[in-house]
Structure formats: C-alpha cells, structure tokens
Amino acid sequence: MMTRISPPGVRPTDARFSSGPTKKRPGWNLQALDGALLGRSHRSKPGKAKLKEAIDRTRTILGVPTDFKIAIVPASDTGAVEMALWSMLGARPVDVFAWESFGEEWVTDAAEQLKLIDCRIHVGRPYGVLPDLSLARATADIVFTQNGTTSGVKIPNFDWIPADREGITFNDATSAAFAQPIVWSKCDVVTFSWQKVLGGEAAHGMLILSPRAVARLEDYVPPRPLPKIFRMTKKGKLDQELFEGATINTPSLLATEDYIDALKWAERIGGLAALQARANANTHVLTEWAARTPWVDFLVRDSSIRSNTSVCLEVVDPRVTSLPEAGQAEFAKKLAEVLEKEGVALDAASYRSAPPGLRIWCGATIEQSDVQSLTPWLDWAFDTCLALLKIPG
C-alpha cells in the first residue's frame, strides 16, 4: 500500500486548471463557433462588424468609459503591452513595478531595450510580495501588472496611483480583467488577452487607451523606429480605424467568434459582477481548504494581495521543506505529475521560473464544484508523493 489514505471517490468533472489558455466557458462546444465568418476578409464589411462587435461587447462588460478607445491587436497581451510601451515611454520619467515573471519582462523593455532615462525599477522580492507601491511618482509614467499570473500576487487597490498624476499609467491586466475591479480613472493604458478569465483562444491582445494616452500618442514622437505592428498613429493623429475593428494585421475570425461567444456567456450569467463572484467563490474554496490543511499554504501570505485567478500554492510540510532545494522542486514536480496522471488536475504545476508548488486557475470559467472536488485529490496526491519519495510520515 503506497498511501495512507484511499483515493477520493469524486473527481472534478473538468480537470483543466491551467492558467492560460484556460478552460472554456461552461457548456462550450464547437457549435458555439457556427457563426464564425470563415473564408472572408477581416477588412470586409461583415468582417469589420465582427471585430467591432467584440470591441463593443468588451466595453459593455468591463464598463469601459465611452471616451476610452479599444483595439484588437497582434501578439496577445505581450503585443498590446509592448505596443504601448514602445510608442509612449520616454516622454517622462518612468516607474516600473514588477512582482512576477511577465512584469519583469516590462522591466527588461524599459531598462535594457528602450534604455530610458530616469527609469526607476521596483521589483517585489521574494516571490509572493509586492514592491513598495508608495514609491510611485506623480510626475512619472507608471508601469505595473495588476495581477501577477506567475506569482499569484495582485494589487490590493488603485489608491496608490496619484490622483493628480502628470504621467500616464500602463496596467497589464491580462489575468485580472473580468475577475478583478479596474478603476478606469487611475488607468490610461489597459491590456489583456482573450485566453485568461473568459477562456478564449490565444494570439490576440486587447489595448484600451484613455484620452490622456491618446494625447501622448499624438503629442510625443519616440526617438526610435517603430515596426508596423506598433504604429497607432497616422500623420500625427490616432488611427481611429484601428479602434473600430480595422486591425493592423490579419486576425483569426474563428478566435474572434469564440471571444464573442464568451462575452455573450458573460452577459447571460449577469455580467462583470457575476464573473468576479465566480472567481471569488472558487478561490474561497481553496482558502478554506488551505486553512485546515497543514501541508500547504498560499505562496502569497497576505490575503489582501492574493489573486482570485492564478492561485499559487506551496508545500510547507517540514518533511518536504527540510529537503535540499532540488528535492523540494522534485517533490512539487511529482505532485503535479500525480494529479495529471490521475486526470484530476491538468497543468497544475507552478510557472517554470516561480518557486516550486502548484498553481490552480480559479477564473470565472471554472466551476466551484470542480474546485471542491479537487481539494481531496490534492491531499491524496501529497500523501502519495511522500510515499514515492520515501519521506517518513
């Protein structure tokens, strides 16, 4: 007998807990794509209408102010962020705040690639904490990630952003949009991708610009070449067509249809409030389980900055933490492998550059009942791994 407890009797109905691409909405099947405008140009009148529908439904669900511009852009959230950074940074001093792997990529952009003058870098260390957000300067542009997908750290609120700021703010909200509140008065550039909270397909990014961001684009000419896919102005003015569905390069109208389907589902279940409530309820299940489970804890100890989407867990049992670092990493790897082999949690390992552990996606497309069914399996997998690695009980 390898384990001290028997396998649980109830399995999650859907074992997909990946943090991106994430599980499709409940009830999704291929028929949801029947309306896709396949074999047609994205520049045709019907093609533009589909893209404009995706933009309009996004505005409605997220409550984006009417004077903000929304565009569908290439290269997922990364493309959206870098379009904005490379087109707008350099006009003012810059404060970059990072606390996870992707946020640190924006540090690389600002400090090493753009080589910005008066660029202050604020990185949260170790994983699971925020840097000092009070260091944000009202005179500077501010770059940050609202929710760290690889660390499970989110900002607690937007109060730290100066209301009288002179600079503009860049909010990488890829795993926060649709699950966490966004205070639009504190955001000038907001980006996200389709494959996170709504379970859409990858490769497309969303770029949302405030009037202040538009003014920056029209008033500031960056001292660097910009590739075609970064260009948002024509003759010194914002390219309005880009924000009406005329994309820079060819989008997938199949993926667009899938995103529209996800937005319609969001509308049917009650909109933004319902999406946020589902994510919160899923995370609450893990919170209650962790509170009564001695071998595990959240990577993010402070609950006020703990993600309700990309929930990161670490093993804190002394029988494991007493192992060398390589042994602890091997234990976490085996834990994820056991869960996947049993078909109860797929893609549940922590991000490759994050501390070893588990990462359970709790976004709105996940069913609370599946998270509830998962927790006994997490306990069983832990016990199994203790036996496999011959760690005494």
Side-chain angles (χ1 to χ4, degrees):
M1 187 72 175
M2 292 291 292
T3 62
R4 289 176 284 123
I5 58 175
S6 300
V10 179
R11 295 171 178 270
T13 301
D14 197 312
R16 288 172 289 184
F17 292 98
S18 167
S19 291
T22 64
K23 175 184 173 292
K24 310 299 286 184
R25 65 160 174 85
W28 184 93
N29 57 48
L30 287 173
Q31 291 181 337
L33 306 178
D34 284 350
L37 199 71
L38 303 182
R40 291 296 308 275
S41 170
H42 62 294
R43 303 194 187 283
S44 68
K45 187 174 181 180
K48 285 185 179 179
K50 284 287 188 182
L51 295 164
K52 183 63 163 54
E53 180 181 357
I55 289 172
D56 290 344
R57 289 183 182 275
T58 297
R59 184 184 300 277
T60 299
I61 294 292
L62 286 179
V64 180
T66 57
D67 57 350
F68 281 52
K69 303 290 186 180
I70 306 176
I72 298 169
V73 300
S76 196
D77 179 66
T78 298
V81 173
E82 294 197 318
M83 280 180 73
L85 298 184
W86 285 67
S87 297
M88 299 185 215
L89 288 185
R92 283 188 168 274
V94 181
D95 288 326
V96 185
F97 294 88
W99 45 87
E100 54 95 44
S101 301
F102 290 103
E104 290 181 24
E105 293 293 340
W106 317 144
V107 170
T108 299
D109 272 294
E112 298 181 21
Q113 298 298 318
L114 296 176
K115 297 181 178 10
L116 299 171
I117 299 172
D118 195 2
C119 178
R120 300 183 185 178
I121 306 301
H122 312 277
V123 178
R125 287 286 188 270
Y127 251 71
V129 300
L130 286 172
D132 185 353
L133 299 178
S134 69
L135 296 174
R137 293 172 288 173
T139 56
D141 292 336
I142 301 170
V143 181
F144 67 98
T145 303
Q146 181 171 341
N147 183 87
T149 313
T150 68
S151 67
V153 180
K154 68 174 183 178
I155 59 171
N157 50 54
F158 289 82
D159 296 347
W160 57 280
I161 297 175
D164 60 346
R165 67 188 186 280
E166 299 170 25
I168 61 177
T169 55
F170 298 76
N171 176 8
D172 172 3
T174 191
S175 56
F178 300 105
Q180 298 168 13
I182 297 174
V183 178
W184 295 102
S185 63
K186 295 295 185 78
C187 297
D188 296 303
V189 176
V190 176
T191 67
F192 65 90
S193 55
W194 294 353
Q195 73 266 26
K196 295 296 184 184
V197 175
L198 291 187
E201 293 304 300
H204 298 77
M206 299 299 286
L207 177 65
I208 305 176
L209 304 180
S210 75
R212 300 173 80 248
V214 172
R216 170 68 64 83
L217 282 170
E218 294 182 339
D219 295 342
Y220 174 65
V221 178
R224 65 189 72 97
L226 291 180
K228 176 183 176 181
I229 61 171
F230 283 9
R231 298 174 204 154
M232 290 179 275
T233 59
K234 287 184 176 180
K235 297 180 179 179
K237 293 295 181 182
L238 188 74
D239 183 358
Q240 296 289 347
E241 289 188 349
L242 175 60
F243 299 87
E244 295 294 326
T247 55
I248 292 175
N249 70 335
T250 306
S252 165
L253 292 175
L254 187 65
T256 300
E257 192 67 29
D258 186 63
Y259 180 53
I260 291 172
D261 172 73
L263 291 165
K264 288 180 177 178
W265 167 75
E267 293 167 359
R268 289 196 301 272
I269 67 170
L272 185 60
L275 295 172
Q276 293 175 352
R278 286 176 65 90
N280 290 338
N282 290 335
T283 305
H284 183 66
V285 172
L286 290 180
T287 300
E288 289 197 322
W289 166 74
R292 63 176 185 268
T293 305
W295 67 264
V296 73
D297 202 351
F298 292 95
L299 178 62
V300 182
R301 299 292 197 265
D302 182 351
S303 61
S304 70
I305 61 170
R306 188 180 298 154
S307 173
N308 65 344
T309 56
S310 52
V311 179
C312 296
L313 303 167
E314 64 176 350
V315 178
V316 296
D317 189 287
R319 290 168 292 181
V320 177
T321 57
S322 62
L323 296 172
E325 285 189 12
Q328 294 181 51
E330 178 62 26
F331 186 91
K333 179 182 177 182
K334 181 60 67 174
L335 196 60
E337 288 176 353
V338 168
L339 293 167
E340 183 143 350
K341 183 179 179 180
E342 288 295 326
V344 293
L346 307 178
D347 307 318
S350 58
Y351 190 71
R352 60 181 181 269
S353 59
L358 297 174
R359 182 172 57 158
I360 309 298
W361 183 255
C362 287
T365 59
I366 300 294
E367 297 282 25
Q368 184 179 2
S369 58
D370 281 336
V371 186
Q372 291 168 333
S373 298
L374 173 63
T375 56
W377 283 98
L378 296 176
D379 290 323
W380 179 84
F382 172 75
D383 196 72
T384 297
C385 288
L386 284 180
L388 288 173
L389 294 183
K390 297 181 174 57
I391 297 177

